[in-house]
Amino acid sequence: MSGEMDALVAAATEKLEALEAALYGLKQVRGRHTTEDGAVRVEVDSDGALVALDLAESVTSRPPSEVSQLIIWACQQAAQDAGAQRSEVVSKLNSAFVDPASGIVGGRAE
């Protein structure tokens, strides 16, 4: 009985550690993109929210509508980057919850 309980506790501990690692990993996700000319640089978090925006002096010579489109495009690219990073974190988490013997997510079938 003690061996079964030890195995259960060990499995639960492994899953908890995987969850904690995933939460930490998601907090570390940052998508970044800089336009080819370097005029716009953006950074987004794991949710795609803008956390940094840098504009070069050269944007002052462009029409506002062009600058706004550059910003939006750069944000989209950065969000795609963040999404790819987020997918990697979630994939690692999912693999920690798949029972290798059965291929079932979350544990073994009874």
Side-chain angles (χ1 to χ4, degrees):
M1 180 79 156
S2 177
E4 288 179 16
M5 186 58 94
D6 289 344
L8 179 63
V9 169
T13 300
E14 287 177 21
K15 288 178 174 48
L16 178 60
E17 288 172 354
L19 282 170
E20 290 173 343
L23 289 173
Y24 177 79
L26 289 172
K27 289 179 184 176
Q28 303 309 307
V29 168
R30 288 291 186 263
R32 295 174 181 87
H33 186 78
T34 303
T35 56
E36 286 184 25
D37 61 0
V40 177
R41 186 182 67 79
V42 299
E43 182 177 330
V44 301
D45 65 13
S46 65
D47 294 323
L50 185 64
V51 295
L53 170 64
D54 292 318
L55 302 174
E57 183 70 28
S58 63
V59 299
T60 61
S61 64
R62 296 180 175 183
S65 60
E66 184 180 325
V67 175
S68 66
Q69 288 300 309
L70 278 174
I71 293 169
I72 291 170
W73 182 79
C75 287
Q76 289 172 335
Q77 299 304 307
Q80 286 179 359
D81 179 33
Q85 293 174 42
R86 189 175 54 246
S87 291
E88 288 179 31
V89 171
V90 172
S91 177
K92 288 178 185 175
L93 175 63
N94 287 342
S95 66
F97 278 79
V98 173
D99 179 42
S102 67
I104 296 174
V105 175
R108 291 180 213 150
E110 298 295 323

